[in-house]
Every structure is written in C-alpha cells, then in structure tokens.
Amino acid sequence: MSKTGRPTDKTEENIRKIEEAAAMDCSIEEMALYANVHRATIYRWLAEDEEFKDRIETLRATPFLKARDTIIKSLDNPQHAFEYMKRKKKNEFSERLEQTG
C-alpha cells in the first residue's frame, strides 16, 4: 500500500495489476493489495472514470461466465445434466421427502 499521504498515480502498471486481480474476481481490497495502492484510490478511480469502472465490472464477471460455460459443456455427462436440472427446475427434478401418517 502507498506509504505516503499523496494520491497514487494511475500508472499503466497499477491499472494492469488491478485488471489482473479483477479478472480473478478479487474484492477491491484484494485488488489494492495486489496493485500496492490504497483501496480508497481504487474507489476514487472507479468513481472518476466510467470506462475504467465498466472494464473492472466486465473483468470481474469473467470467472463466473467461464464457470457457467464449463457447466454447460459438461452436460453430456448424464449425472451433470441431472444435477443441472435439479437446480434449474426444482419442482420437477429435485428430490422430495414424502411424509406419511
């Protein structure tokens, strides 16, 4: 983290590291640690720069989209397909306990 009280410069290196961390779906605190800038600096940059904010949001969505793609590609496996259906169509496919008496 920045040891001085001055604002951190928005260098290419800082931005690259913040973007790398965002692509791993890191929190702002983790991005700050990874880029060696104060988290308030990142919050300020996000507030001041709409393009930067959009880029970080897009990068943070990347792991989730990759995970979703992996799940969909695994649906050739009947067990995976059934698990997917149990979660997406609970009323039809989830296991239910029936109580009698």
Side-chain angles (χ1 to χ4, degrees), residues 19-69:
E19 288 178 346
E20 284 178 11
M24 294 184 278
D25 195 21
C26 290
S27 66
I28 297 294
E29 290 75 16
E30 292 166 328
M31 289 180 217
L33 182 63
Y34 187 69
N36 196 31
V37 298
H38 196 277
R39 68 181 178 273
T41 300
I42 295 176
Y43 282 117
R44 188 179 75 247
W45 292 346
L46 292 169
E48 295 171 351
D49 186 340
E50 193 68 30
E51 188 176 320
F52 178 64
K53 179 182 176 188
D54 289 345
R55 174 90 174 126
I56 296 305
E57 287 175 359
T58 298
L59 288 168
R60 288 184 80 189
T62 302
F64 186 81
L65 293 174
K66 184 175 182 178
R68 184 182 292 270
D69 183 55

Side-chain angles (χ1 to χ4, degrees), residues 83-94 96:
E83 287 298 319
Y84 180 81
M85 294 302 288
K86 283 180 6 183
R87 285 175 173 72
K88 294 300 275 188
K89 301 277 187 175
K90 290 179 180 140
N91 289 339
E92 265 185 89
F93 293 95
S94 68
R96 293 185 279 288

